[in-house]
Amino acid sequence: MIHFFHVSKVYEKGNRALHEVNVSIGKGEFVFLTGPSGAGKTTFLKLIFREELPSYGRVVANNQNTIALGKRRIPDFRKKIGVVFQDFKLLENRTVFENIVFILNVLGYPASFLRDRAFYVLKLVGLQHRYDDYPRQLSGGEQQRIAIARALVNEPLILLADEPTGNLDPDLSLEIMALFEKINSRGTTVLIATHDREMIKQMRKRTLYLDHGHLQEHRK
Amino acid sequence: MKLFIDFGFYIREGWANFTRSRMLSLFSILIISISIAIITLFSTVFFNVDNYLREMENNPVYSIFLTPDTSAKEGKDLALYLETLKGISDVKLVMPDESMKKLARRFPLAGEIQKTLEGNPLPISIRLRIATPSVIKVRQVLKQYSIVESIYSPHFFLSQLKSLSSAVSFFIALIAAILVLASVFTIYNVIRITILARQNDIAIMQLVGADMKFIRAPFTVEGTLQGLSGGILGALFGSGLIYIIRTHYLVHFQYLPFLSRITSLPPSYFVGIILLSVAMGIFGSTMAASRIDYV
Protein backbone atom coordinates (compact mmCIF):
# COMPACT_ATOMS: atom_id res chain seq x y z
CA MET A 1 0.00 0.00 0.00
CA ILE A 2 2.88 2.39 0.87
CA HIS A 3 6.41 1.90 -0.45
CA PHE A 4 9.54 4.03 -0.01
CA PHE A 5 12.38 3.17 -2.40
CA HIS A 6 15.75 4.77 -1.49
CA VAL A 7 13.96 7.93 -0.46
CA SER A 8 15.93 10.97 0.64
CA LYS A 9 14.51 14.39 1.30
CA VAL A 10 16.71 17.44 1.42
CA TYR A 11 15.13 20.81 2.09
CA GLU A 12 16.52 24.17 1.06
CA LYS A 13 19.84 25.16 2.66
CA GLY A 14 20.80 21.48 2.67
CA ASN A 15 18.66 20.37 5.65
CA ARG A 16 18.36 16.61 5.25
CA ALA A 17 15.06 15.29 6.64
CA LEU A 18 15.20 11.70 5.36
CA HIS A 19 18.14 9.62 4.22
CA GLU A 20 17.96 6.48 2.03
CA VAL A 21 14.67 5.27 3.47
CA ASN A 22 13.42 1.89 2.24
CA VAL A 23 10.20 0.59 3.71
CA SER A 24 6.92 -1.05 2.73
CA ILE A 25 3.63 -0.90 4.57
CA GLY A 26 1.06 -3.44 3.44
CA LYS A 27 -2.67 -3.04 2.92
CA GLY A 28 -4.58 -3.10 6.19
CA GLU A 29 -1.49 -2.69 8.40
CA PHE A 30 -1.40 -0.61 11.59
CA VAL A 31 1.99 1.03 11.95
CA PHE A 32 3.49 3.54 14.37
CA LEU A 33 6.16 5.99 13.25
CA THR A 34 8.19 7.35 16.12
CA GLY A 35 11.39 9.18 16.84
CA PRO A 36 12.61 12.40 18.45
CA SER A 37 11.50 15.85 17.34
CA GLY A 38 13.00 16.81 13.99
CA ALA A 39 13.64 13.16 13.09
CA GLY A 40 11.61 13.48 9.86
CA LYS A 41 8.26 11.97 10.91
CA THR A 42 6.13 14.77 9.47
CA THR A 43 8.20 14.79 6.26
CA PHE A 44 7.64 11.03 5.98
CA LEU A 45 3.86 11.57 6.13
CA LYS A 46 3.97 14.56 3.77
CA LEU A 47 5.76 12.45 1.18
CA ILE A 48 2.94 9.89 1.30
CA PHE A 49 0.11 12.33 0.56
CA ARG A 50 2.30 14.32 -1.81
CA GLU A 51 2.53 17.55 0.06
CA GLU A 52 6.25 17.07 -0.53
CA LEU A 53 8.16 15.23 -3.23
CA PRO A 54 11.29 13.17 -2.52
CA SER A 55 14.64 14.69 -3.51
CA TYR A 56 15.88 11.21 -4.41
CA GLY A 57 14.17 7.85 -4.74
CA ARG A 58 10.43 7.35 -5.09
CA VAL A 59 7.35 6.99 -2.97
CA VAL A 60 4.47 4.78 -4.06
CA ALA A 61 1.17 5.12 -2.20
CA ASN A 62 -2.01 3.34 -3.20
CA ASN A 63 -0.22 2.11 -6.37
CA GLN A 64 0.63 5.67 -7.44
CA ASN A 65 4.16 6.93 -7.84
CA THR A 66 3.86 10.37 -6.27
CA ILE A 67 6.54 11.90 -8.53
CA ALA A 68 4.82 10.71 -11.69
CA LEU A 69 1.43 11.92 -10.47
CA GLY A 70 0.17 14.79 -12.66
CA LYS A 71 -1.06 17.92 -10.88
CA ARG A 72 -4.63 17.33 -11.98
CA ARG A 73 -4.65 13.85 -10.48
CA ILE A 74 -3.48 14.98 -7.05
CA PRO A 75 -7.01 15.65 -5.66
CA ASP A 76 -8.27 12.18 -6.59
CA PHE A 77 -5.14 10.66 -5.07
CA ARG A 78 -5.64 12.61 -1.82
CA LYS A 79 -9.34 11.75 -1.58
CA LYS A 80 -8.34 8.18 -0.75
CA ILE A 81 -6.01 9.29 2.04
CA GLY A 82 -7.32 10.64 5.33
CA VAL A 83 -4.86 12.88 7.17
CA VAL A 84 -4.92 14.10 10.76
CA PHE A 85 -2.54 17.06 10.73
CA GLN A 86 -0.40 17.99 13.71
CA ASP A 87 -1.74 21.55 13.55
CA PHE A 88 -5.26 20.19 12.76
CA LYS A 89 -5.71 22.42 9.68
CA LEU A 90 -9.39 23.06 10.36
CA LEU A 91 -11.20 25.69 8.31
CA GLU A 92 -11.48 28.51 10.86
CA ASN A 93 -14.48 30.28 9.32
CA ARG A 94 -16.60 27.13 9.21
CA THR A 95 -18.38 25.34 12.00
CA VAL A 96 -17.40 21.86 13.13
CA PHE A 97 -20.27 20.42 11.09
CA GLU A 98 -19.26 22.40 7.98
CA ASN A 99 -15.63 21.27 8.35
CA ILE A 100 -16.76 17.65 8.19
CA VAL A 101 -19.39 18.15 5.51
CA PHE A 102 -16.90 19.99 3.29
CA ILE A 103 -15.05 16.72 2.62
CA LEU A 104 -18.30 14.99 1.68
CA ASN A 105 -19.20 17.89 -0.62
CA VAL A 106 -15.81 17.63 -2.28
CA LEU A 107 -16.47 13.95 -2.87
CA GLY A 108 -19.89 14.73 -4.32
CA TYR A 109 -22.05 12.89 -1.81
CA PRO A 110 -25.78 13.70 -2.00
CA ALA A 111 -27.16 16.20 0.52
CA SER A 112 -29.33 13.57 2.19
CA PHE A 113 -26.22 11.58 3.10
CA LEU A 114 -24.12 14.48 4.42
CA ARG A 115 -25.91 15.16 7.68
CA ASP A 116 -26.17 11.56 8.85
CA ARG A 117 -22.57 10.77 7.94
CA ALA A 118 -21.22 13.95 9.58
CA PHE A 119 -23.10 13.25 12.82
CA TYR A 120 -21.98 9.62 12.73
CA VAL A 121 -18.26 10.56 12.76
CA LEU A 122 -18.81 13.35 15.27
CA LYS A 123 -20.44 10.81 17.54
CA LEU A 124 -17.45 8.49 17.06
CA VAL A 125 -15.12 11.18 18.45
CA GLY A 126 -17.69 12.20 21.08
CA LEU A 127 -18.27 15.73 19.84
CA GLN A 128 -21.71 15.64 18.24
CA HIS A 129 -22.91 18.30 20.70
CA ARG A 130 -20.27 20.80 19.42
CA TYR A 131 -21.40 20.60 15.78
CA ASP A 132 -22.36 24.27 15.59
CA ASP A 133 -19.22 25.67 17.22
CA TYR A 134 -16.29 27.18 15.37
CA PRO A 135 -12.80 25.66 15.79
CA ARG A 136 -11.65 28.69 17.83
CA GLN A 137 -14.35 27.89 20.40
CA LEU A 138 -12.91 24.40 20.99
CA SER A 139 -10.01 23.26 23.14
CA GLY A 140 -6.86 21.80 21.53
CA GLY A 141 -8.02 18.27 22.31
CA GLU A 142 -11.45 18.91 20.83
CA GLN A 143 -9.94 20.40 17.68
CA GLN A 144 -7.76 17.32 17.39
CA ARG A 145 -10.82 15.07 17.60
CA ILE A 146 -12.57 17.11 14.91
CA ALA A 147 -9.48 16.69 12.71
CA ILE A 148 -9.72 12.93 13.32
CA ALA A 149 -13.43 12.91 12.50
CA ARG A 150 -12.74 14.78 9.27
CA ALA A 151 -10.03 12.30 8.28
CA LEU A 152 -12.38 9.38 8.91
CA VAL A 153 -15.52 10.71 7.31
CA ASN A 154 -14.98 9.26 3.83
CA GLU A 155 -13.53 5.92 5.04
CA PRO A 156 -10.14 6.40 3.35
CA LEU A 157 -7.90 3.56 2.14
CA ILE A 158 -4.97 5.05 4.05
CA LEU A 159 -5.18 6.99 7.29
CA LEU A 160 -2.18 9.12 8.28
CA ALA A 161 -2.11 10.81 11.68
CA ASP A 162 0.57 13.19 12.89
CA GLU A 163 0.64 13.20 16.72
CA PRO A 164 -3.11 12.53 16.96
CA THR A 165 -3.08 12.17 20.73
CA GLY A 166 -0.63 14.99 21.46
CA ASN A 167 -3.32 17.19 23.06
CA LEU A 168 -5.46 14.47 24.60
CA ASP A 169 -5.51 13.05 28.14
CA PRO A 170 -4.53 9.37 28.55
CA ASP A 171 -8.12 8.08 28.70
CA LEU A 172 -9.17 9.96 25.60
CA SER A 173 -5.95 8.91 23.83
CA LEU A 174 -6.87 5.27 24.43
CA GLU A 175 -10.37 5.89 23.11
CA ILE A 176 -8.97 7.50 19.97
CA MET A 177 -6.52 4.62 19.49
CA ALA A 178 -9.42 2.18 19.83
CA LEU A 179 -11.16 4.16 17.12
CA PHE A 180 -8.12 3.90 14.85
CA GLU A 181 -8.03 0.15 15.49
CA LYS A 182 -11.69 -0.09 14.57
CA ILE A 183 -11.02 1.77 11.31
CA ASN A 184 -8.01 -0.48 10.72
CA SER A 185 -10.10 -3.60 11.26
CA ARG A 186 -12.25 -2.54 8.27
CA GLY A 187 -9.17 -2.72 6.03
CA THR A 188 -7.84 0.81 6.20
CA THR A 189 -4.06 1.09 6.40
CA VAL A 190 -3.21 3.23 9.45
CA LEU A 191 0.09 5.02 9.97
CA ILE A 192 0.46 7.08 13.14
CA ALA A 193 3.39 9.37 13.87
CA THR A 194 3.74 9.78 17.63
CA HIS A 195 6.11 10.52 20.52
CA ASP A 196 3.98 8.57 22.93
CA ARG A 197 6.13 5.54 23.83
CA GLU A 198 3.63 4.28 26.41
CA MET A 199 0.95 4.18 23.77
CA ILE A 200 3.22 2.29 21.37
CA LYS A 201 4.06 -0.23 24.09
CA GLN A 202 0.42 -0.75 24.96
CA MET A 203 -0.74 -1.14 21.35
CA ARG A 204 1.96 -3.69 20.38
CA LYS A 205 1.97 -2.82 16.68
CA ARG A 206 4.68 -2.60 14.02
CA THR A 207 6.83 0.45 14.78
CA LEU A 208 9.14 2.42 12.49
CA TYR A 209 11.80 4.44 14.28
CA LEU A 210 13.23 7.53 12.64
CA ASP A 211 16.38 9.19 13.93
CA HIS A 212 17.95 12.10 12.04
CA GLY A 213 16.34 10.88 8.83
CA HIS A 214 17.50 7.26 9.19
CA LEU A 215 14.84 4.57 9.52
CA GLN A 216 15.00 1.55 11.81
CA GLU A 217 12.26 -0.96 12.33
CA HIS A 218 10.91 -2.78 15.38
CA ARG A 219 8.35 -5.52 14.81
CA LYS A 220 6.41 -6.54 17.92
CA MET B 1 -27.31 14.60 -10.41
CA LYS B 2 -23.68 15.14 -9.36
CA LEU B 3 -23.59 18.25 -11.53
CA PHE B 4 -26.52 19.73 -9.57
CA ILE B 5 -24.92 18.83 -6.23
CA ASP B 6 -21.65 20.44 -7.33
CA PHE B 7 -23.42 23.52 -8.71
CA GLY B 8 -25.37 23.94 -5.47
CA PHE B 9 -22.10 23.71 -3.56
CA TYR B 10 -20.44 26.39 -5.75
CA ILE B 11 -23.38 28.74 -5.28
CA ARG B 12 -23.42 28.26 -1.49
CA GLU B 13 -19.65 28.69 -1.20
CA GLY B 14 -19.63 31.67 -3.59
CA TRP B 15 -22.40 33.38 -1.61
CA ALA B 16 -20.53 32.68 1.64
CA ASN B 17 -17.33 34.20 0.16
CA PHE B 18 -19.32 37.18 -1.13
CA THR B 19 -20.81 37.95 2.29
CA ARG B 20 -17.59 37.16 4.19
CA SER B 21 -15.49 39.74 2.35
CA ARG B 22 -18.16 42.43 2.57
CA MET B 23 -15.96 45.54 2.28
CA LEU B 24 -14.05 44.25 -0.72
CA SER B 25 -17.29 43.16 -2.40
CA LEU B 26 -18.81 46.59 -1.78
CA PHE B 27 -15.76 48.31 -3.24
CA SER B 28 -15.94 46.16 -6.34
CA ILE B 29 -19.72 46.69 -6.69
CA LEU B 30 -19.22 50.46 -6.36
CA ILE B 31 -16.65 50.57 -9.17
CA ILE B 32 -18.77 48.33 -11.41
CA SER B 33 -21.95 50.32 -10.75
CA ILE B 34 -20.22 53.62 -11.61
CA SER B 35 -18.95 52.11 -14.87
CA ILE B 36 -22.35 50.62 -15.69
CA ALA B 37 -24.12 53.91 -14.86
CA ILE B 38 -21.85 55.75 -17.31
CA ILE B 39 -22.36 53.03 -19.92
CA THR B 40 -26.15 53.33 -19.37
CA LEU B 41 -25.94 57.11 -19.92
CA PHE B 42 -23.93 56.69 -23.11
CA SER B 43 -26.19 53.90 -24.34
CA THR B 44 -29.22 56.15 -23.83
CA VAL B 45 -27.63 58.91 -25.90
CA PHE B 46 -26.63 56.41 -28.58
CA PHE B 47 -30.08 54.78 -28.59
CA ASN B 48 -31.90 58.11 -28.96
CA VAL B 49 -29.60 59.51 -31.63
CA ASP B 50 -29.87 56.26 -33.56
CA ASN B 51 -33.67 56.23 -33.29
CA TYR B 52 -33.88 59.88 -34.35
CA LEU B 53 -31.66 59.30 -37.37
CA ARG B 54 -33.60 56.21 -38.37
CA GLU B 55 -36.90 58.02 -38.07
CA MET B 56 -35.56 60.92 -40.13
CA GLU B 57 -34.32 58.53 -42.77
CA ASN B 58 -37.37 56.28 -42.95
CA ASN B 59 -40.10 58.87 -42.41
CA PRO B 60 -38.57 62.20 -43.42
CA VAL B 61 -40.60 65.34 -42.79
CA TYR B 62 -40.50 67.93 -45.56
CA SER B 63 -41.38 71.56 -44.95
CA ILE B 64 -42.78 73.19 -48.07
CA PHE B 65 -42.80 76.98 -47.89
CA LEU B 66 -45.21 78.73 -50.25
CA THR B 67 -44.71 82.20 -51.81
CA PRO B 68 -45.95 85.17 -49.69
CA ASP B 69 -48.83 85.93 -52.07
CA THR B 70 -50.25 82.42 -51.96
CA SER B 71 -53.86 82.40 -50.75
CA ALA B 72 -55.16 80.01 -48.09
CA LYS B 73 -57.32 78.29 -50.74
CA GLU B 74 -54.33 77.65 -53.01
CA GLY B 75 -52.40 76.25 -50.09
CA LYS B 76 -55.33 74.03 -49.10
CA ASP B 77 -55.75 72.74 -52.68
CA LEU B 78 -52.09 71.81 -52.86
CA ALA B 79 -52.30 70.05 -49.48
CA LEU B 80 -55.37 68.09 -50.65
CA TYR B 81 -53.57 67.09 -53.83
CA LEU B 82 -50.51 65.93 -51.89
CA GLU B 83 -52.72 63.77 -49.65
CA THR B 84 -53.80 61.75 -52.67
CA LEU B 85 -50.24 60.80 -53.61
CA LYS B 86 -48.80 57.37 -52.83
CA GLY B 87 -46.03 57.10 -50.25
CA ILE B 88 -47.15 60.05 -48.12
CA SER B 89 -48.35 59.34 -44.61
CA ASP B 90 -49.30 62.77 -43.32
CA VAL B 91 -49.97 66.24 -44.78
CA LYS B 92 -50.57 69.30 -42.65
CA LEU B 93 -51.27 72.80 -43.85
CA VAL B 94 -49.71 75.32 -41.46
CA MET B 95 -51.04 78.86 -41.55
CA PRO B 96 -48.71 81.82 -40.73
CA ASP B 97 -50.37 82.47 -37.34
CA GLU B 98 -49.83 78.88 -36.25
CA SER B 99 -46.21 79.02 -37.43
CA MET B 100 -45.65 82.21 -35.44
CA LYS B 101 -47.22 80.68 -32.29
CA LYS B 102 -44.96 77.65 -32.65
CA LEU B 103 -41.93 79.86 -33.17
CA ALA B 104 -42.87 81.98 -30.15
CA ARG B 105 -43.09 78.83 -28.00
CA ARG B 106 -39.53 77.92 -28.91
CA PHE B 107 -38.08 81.41 -29.08
CA PRO B 108 -39.80 83.92 -26.82
CA LEU B 109 -38.26 86.82 -28.77
CA ALA B 110 -40.24 85.91 -31.89
CA GLY B 111 -43.17 88.02 -30.67
CA GLU B 112 -40.91 91.08 -30.55
CA ILE B 113 -39.77 90.41 -34.12
CA GLN B 114 -43.41 90.34 -35.27
CA LYS B 115 -44.05 93.69 -33.53
CA THR B 116 -40.94 95.23 -35.08
CA LEU B 117 -41.87 94.05 -38.55
CA GLU B 118 -45.51 95.17 -38.00
CA GLY B 119 -46.94 91.89 -39.22
CA ASN B 120 -46.32 88.20 -39.51
CA PRO B 121 -43.52 87.57 -42.00
CA LEU B 122 -44.00 83.82 -42.01
CA PRO B 123 -45.52 82.22 -45.13
CA ILE B 124 -48.12 79.45 -45.43
CA SER B 125 -46.33 76.14 -45.30
CA ILE B 126 -47.11 72.43 -45.62
CA ARG B 127 -45.61 69.73 -43.43
CA LEU B 128 -45.27 66.51 -45.29
CA ARG B 129 -44.38 63.18 -43.68
CA ILE B 130 -43.17 60.55 -46.12
CA ALA B 131 -44.03 56.90 -45.36
CA THR B 132 -41.97 55.26 -48.11
CA PRO B 133 -39.18 57.49 -49.37
CA SER B 134 -38.43 55.13 -52.28
CA VAL B 135 -41.92 55.62 -53.76
CA ILE B 136 -42.09 59.39 -54.01
CA LYS B 137 -39.68 62.10 -55.20
CA VAL B 138 -41.10 65.18 -53.47
CA ARG B 139 -38.98 67.78 -55.24
CA GLN B 140 -39.93 66.47 -58.70
CA VAL B 141 -43.64 66.50 -57.88
CA LEU B 142 -43.56 70.07 -56.53
CA LYS B 143 -41.37 71.53 -59.31
CA GLN B 144 -44.42 72.26 -61.48
CA TYR B 145 -46.10 74.39 -58.76
CA SER B 146 -45.17 78.09 -59.02
CA ILE B 147 -46.60 78.79 -55.53
CA VAL B 148 -43.85 76.66 -53.97
CA GLU B 149 -41.01 78.95 -52.99
CA SER B 150 -38.68 76.57 -51.18
CA ILE B 151 -38.55 73.02 -49.85
CA TYR B 152 -36.69 72.09 -46.75
CA SER B 153 -35.75 68.40 -46.49
CA PRO B 154 -33.75 66.81 -43.70
CA HIS B 155 -31.28 65.01 -46.01
CA PHE B 156 -28.44 67.47 -45.82
CA PHE B 157 -28.80 67.74 -42.06
CA LEU B 158 -29.15 63.96 -41.86
CA SER B 159 -25.85 63.21 -43.59
CA GLN B 160 -24.05 65.72 -41.36
CA LEU B 161 -25.67 64.28 -38.26
CA LYS B 162 -24.81 60.75 -39.36
CA SER B 163 -21.10 61.49 -39.71
CA LEU B 164 -21.16 63.31 -36.35
CA SER B 165 -23.03 60.39 -34.80
CA SER B 166 -20.54 57.80 -36.07
CA ALA B 167 -17.64 59.86 -34.66
CA VAL B 168 -19.43 60.20 -31.30
CA SER B 169 -20.33 56.48 -31.35
CA PHE B 170 -16.68 55.61 -31.81
CA PHE B 171 -15.69 57.65 -28.76
CA ILE B 172 -18.60 56.23 -26.74
CA ALA B 173 -17.49 52.71 -27.68
CA LEU B 174 -13.91 53.57 -26.75
CA ILE B 175 -14.89 54.98 -23.35
CA ALA B 176 -17.24 52.02 -22.74
CA ALA B 177 -14.39 49.62 -23.58
CA ILE B 178 -12.09 51.43 -21.13
CA LEU B 179 -14.78 51.28 -18.43
CA VAL B 180 -15.36 47.56 -19.07
CA LEU B 181 -11.61 46.90 -18.83
CA ALA B 182 -11.36 48.97 -15.63
CA SER B 183 -14.23 46.98 -14.09
CA VAL B 184 -12.76 43.62 -15.12
CA PHE B 185 -9.42 44.74 -13.67
CA THR B 186 -11.12 45.77 -10.40
CA ILE B 187 -12.96 42.45 -10.11
CA TYR B 188 -9.74 40.58 -10.93
CA ASN B 189 -7.84 42.41 -8.20
CA VAL B 190 -10.59 42.13 -5.59
CA ILE B 191 -10.84 38.38 -6.18
CA ARG B 192 -7.02 38.09 -6.08
CA ILE B 193 -7.03 39.83 -2.68
CA THR B 194 -9.77 37.51 -1.36
CA ILE B 195 -7.80 34.53 -2.68
CA LEU B 196 -4.68 35.76 -0.86
CA ALA B 197 -6.72 36.30 2.31
CA ARG B 198 -7.98 32.71 2.07
CA GLN B 199 -4.70 31.14 1.05
CA ASN B 200 -4.63 29.07 4.20
CA ASP B 201 -8.14 27.73 3.61
CA ILE B 202 -7.30 26.97 -0.02
CA ALA B 203 -4.20 25.01 1.03
CA ILE B 204 -6.26 23.00 3.53
CA MET B 205 -8.92 22.29 0.90
CA GLN B 206 -6.24 21.02 -1.47
CA LEU B 207 -4.65 18.84 1.22
CA VAL B 208 -7.95 17.14 1.95
CA GLY B 209 -8.41 16.38 -1.76
CA ALA B 210 -10.64 19.17 -3.07
CA ASP B 211 -10.62 19.38 -6.87
CA MET B 212 -9.45 22.65 -8.37
CA LYS B 213 -12.97 23.33 -9.70
CA PHE B 214 -14.29 23.12 -6.10
CA ILE B 215 -11.75 25.71 -5.06
CA ARG B 216 -11.96 28.00 -8.09
CA ALA B 217 -15.69 27.93 -8.92
CA PRO B 218 -16.86 29.69 -5.72
CA PHE B 219 -14.56 32.62 -6.57
CA THR B 220 -16.16 32.78 -10.03
CA VAL B 221 -19.58 32.77 -8.37
CA GLU B 222 -18.36 35.58 -6.07
CA GLY B 223 -17.22 37.64 -9.09
CA THR B 224 -20.51 36.91 -10.87
CA LEU B 225 -22.47 38.16 -7.87
CA GLN B 226 -20.36 41.32 -7.80
CA GLY B 227 -21.01 41.80 -11.52
CA LEU B 228 -24.75 41.19 -11.12
CA SER B 229 -25.15 43.51 -8.12
CA GLY B 230 -22.97 46.21 -9.72
CA GLY B 231 -24.89 45.84 -12.99
CA ILE B 232 -28.33 46.20 -11.40
CA LEU B 233 -27.25 49.13 -9.20
CA GLY B 234 -25.42 50.83 -12.08
CA ALA B 235 -28.39 50.46 -14.45
CA LEU B 236 -30.75 51.87 -11.79
CA PHE B 237 -28.35 54.71 -10.99
CA GLY B 238 -27.83 55.49 -14.70
CA SER B 239 -31.54 55.53 -15.50
CA GLY B 240 -32.17 57.67 -12.41
CA LEU B 241 -29.62 60.16 -13.70
CA ILE B 242 -31.28 60.20 -17.14
CA TYR B 243 -34.67 60.82 -15.52
CA ILE B 244 -33.29 63.76 -13.51
CA ILE B 245 -31.49 65.23 -16.54
CA ARG B 246 -34.62 64.84 -18.69
CA THR B 247 -37.11 66.27 -16.22
CA HIS B 248 -34.93 69.03 -14.77
CA TYR B 249 -32.63 70.19 -17.55
CA LEU B 250 -33.71 69.05 -21.02
CA VAL B 251 -37.20 70.51 -20.65
CA HIS B 252 -35.61 73.95 -21.04
CA PHE B 253 -34.41 73.08 -24.57
CA GLN B 254 -37.83 73.35 -26.29
CA TYR B 255 -36.21 74.72 -29.46
CA LEU B 256 -34.27 71.45 -29.80
CA PRO B 257 -37.06 68.87 -30.09
CA PHE B 258 -34.59 66.01 -30.15
CA LEU B 259 -33.38 66.77 -26.61
CA SER B 260 -36.86 67.19 -25.16
CA ARG B 261 -37.93 63.87 -26.73
CA ILE B 262 -35.13 61.77 -25.20
CA THR B 263 -36.54 58.52 -23.83
CA SER B 264 -35.03 55.99 -21.45
CA LEU B 265 -33.70 52.67 -22.70
CA PRO B 266 -36.10 49.81 -23.44
CA PRO B 267 -35.97 46.80 -21.04
CA SER B 268 -34.01 44.65 -23.53
CA TYR B 269 -31.12 47.17 -23.36
CA PHE B 270 -31.12 47.02 -19.56
CA VAL B 271 -30.99 43.22 -19.71
CA GLY B 272 -28.06 43.52 -22.13
CA ILE B 273 -26.21 45.98 -19.87
CA ILE B 274 -26.72 43.77 -16.80
CA LEU B 275 -25.56 40.72 -18.78
CA LEU B 276 -22.46 42.68 -19.80
CA SER B 277 -21.78 43.40 -16.14
CA VAL B 278 -22.27 39.72 -15.22
CA ALA B 279 -19.88 38.74 -18.05
CA MET B 280 -17.30 41.19 -16.65
CA GLY B 281 -17.69 39.53 -13.24
CA ILE B 282 -17.30 36.04 -14.66
CA PHE B 283 -14.29 37.00 -16.78
CA GLY B 284 -12.41 38.95 -14.08
CA SER B 285 -12.97 36.37 -11.35
CA THR B 286 -12.22 33.36 -13.58
CA MET B 287 -8.92 34.97 -14.58
CA ALA B 288 -8.06 35.59 -10.92
CA ALA B 289 -9.14 32.10 -9.79
CA SER B 290 -7.18 30.42 -12.60
CA ARG B 291 -4.00 31.65 -10.92
CA ILE B 292 -4.57 29.40 -7.88
CA ASP B 293 -1.94 26.70 -8.19
CA TYR B 294 -1.75 23.15 -6.86
CA VAL B 295 -0.12 22.56 -3.46
Side-chain angles (χ1 to χ4, degrees), chain B:
Chain B
M1 184 63 185
K2 176 145 187 341
L3 191 75
F4 283 114
I5 295 169
D6 290 355
F7 194 68
F9 175 77
Y10 303 151
I11 299 286
R12 281 196 308 277
E13 288 291 306
W15 175 252
N17 285 354
F18 181 71
T19 50
R20 239 176 258 149
S21 46
R22 222 165 287 148
M23 285 314 287
L24 276 173
S25 296
L26 282 177
F27 172 73
S28 182
I29 290 168
L30 181 73
I31 300 289
I32 298 165
S33 53
I34 291 171
S35 300
I36 290 296
I38 297 171
I39 290 172
T40 305
L41 272 176
F42 285 164
S43 302
T44 307
V45 172
F46 180 79
F47 171 77
N48 279 281
V49 169
D50 192 52
N51 264 1
Y52 187 67
L53 290 177
R54 204 172 299 160
E55 195 188 314
M56 272 170 66
E57 197 165 33
N58 296 337
N59 303 99
V61 177
Y62 283 72
S63 293
I64 302 155
F65 297 102
L66 307 181
T67 51
D69 53 346
T70 306
S71 68
K73 187 183 176 302
E74 285 172 315
K76 202 173 174 184
D77 286 347
L78 179 59
L80 284 172
Y81 166 69
L82 289 172
E83 265 178 17
T84 63
L85 297 176
K86 235 182 165 183
I88 290 176
S89 66
D90 186 37
V91 178
K92 189 170 191 273
L93 182 72
V94 186
M95 299 311 285
D97 287 347
E98 195 183 336
S99 295
M100 181 52 76
K101 272 183 199 162
K102 209 170 175 182
L103 189 67
R105 268 204 307 272
R106 290 183 184 177
F107 300 102
L109 285 175
E112 295 299 317
I113 295 169
Q114 193 179 358
K115 270 184 204 164
T116 312
L117 293 173
E118 295 174 347
N120 185 349
L122 300 176
I124 298 173
S125 61
I126 297 172
R127 267 172 64 86
L128 204 63
R129 186 177 287 277
I130 310 292
T132 41
S134 57
V135 171
I136 184 157
K137 300 276 175 273
V138 176
R139 284 180 192 279
Q140 268 180 359
V141 170
L142 294 172
K143 213 160 65 178
Q144 54 191 305
Y145 287 89
S146 58
I147 56 168
V148 174
E149 189 173 76
S150 63
I151 303 168
Y152 168 78
S153 73
H155 293 99
F156 173 71
F157 178 57
L158 187 70
S159 65
Q160 275 192 328
L161 204 63
K162 261 186 176 172
S163 58
L164 181 73
S165 158
S166 58
V168 170
S169 301
F170 173 76
F171 281 106
I172 286 178
L174 192 72
I175 292 168
I178 291 168
L179 289 170
V180 166
L181 280 178
S183 300
V184 169
F185 186 68
T186 305
I187 296 167
Y188 172 84
N189 280 307
V190 164
I191 298 293
R192 282 292 297 157
I193 293 168
T194 49
I195 286 170
L196 284 175
R198 285 176 220 149
Q199 220 164 20
N200 198 34
D201 282 7
I202 291 168
I204 294 170
M205 288 175 192
Q206 292 198 30
L207 291 176
V208 297
D211 287 316
M212 221 19 137
K213 63 178 179 187
F214 272 87
I215 295 166
R216 286 176 180 163
F219 288 108
T220 302
V221 171
E222 188 179 346
T224 308
L225 287 172
Q226 287 176 9
L228 180 67
S229 321
I232 293 170
L233 279 178
L236 286 174
F237 185 51
S239 30
L241 265 179
I242 291 158
Y243 177 77
I244 292 168
I245 292 170
R246 209 178 56 196
T247 52
H248 287 77
Y249 301 101
L250 297 183
V251 282
H252 303 303
F253 294 88
Q254 288 278 344
Y255 52 90
L256 290 172
F258 165 70
L259 289 179
S260 55
R261 269 178 21 206
I262 276 185
T263 59
S264 58
L265 292 172
S268 60
Y269 274 65
F270 281 111
V271 172
I273 286 171
I274 291 167
L275 284 179
L276 169 75
S277 182
V278 169
M280 293 186 318
I282 293 173
F283 187 64
S285 56
T286 304
M287 274 204 322
S290 68
R291 294 193 60 189
I292 301 172
D293 205 4
Y294 289 84
V295 174

Side-chain angles (χ1 to χ4, degrees), chain A residues 167-183:
Chain A
N167 290 296
L168 306 181
D169 58 58
D171 288 345
L172 204 53
S173 296
L174 280 174
E175 267 181 50
I176 293 296
M177 281 301 153
L179 186 62
F180 284 146
E181 272 199 303
K182 195 173 162 189
I183 300 295

Side-chain angles (χ1 to χ4, degrees), chain A residues 71 75 78-79 89 93-94, chain B residues 13 204 206 209 211 295:
Chain A
K71 278 186 172 183
R78 287 182 180 155
K79 277 171 198 160
K89 293 200 190 302
N93 48 24
R94 284 161 209 259
Chain B
E13 288 291 306
I204 294 170
Q206 292 198 30
D211 287 316
V295 174

Side-chain angles (χ1 to χ4, degrees), chain A residues 8-45:
Chain A
S8 293
K9 177 68 186 176
V10 184
Y11 285 109
E12 283 173 27
K13 295 181 184 172
N15 292 337
R16 187 177 286 270
L18 292 177
H19 182 72
E20 247 333 276
V21 172
N22 284 291
V23 69
S24 283
I25 298 168
K27 189 174 186 299
E29 267 198 88
F30 192 119
V31 180
F32 281 111
L33 177 67
T34 190
S37 293
K41 299 189 292 296
T42 301
T43 300
F44 190 98
L45 297 183

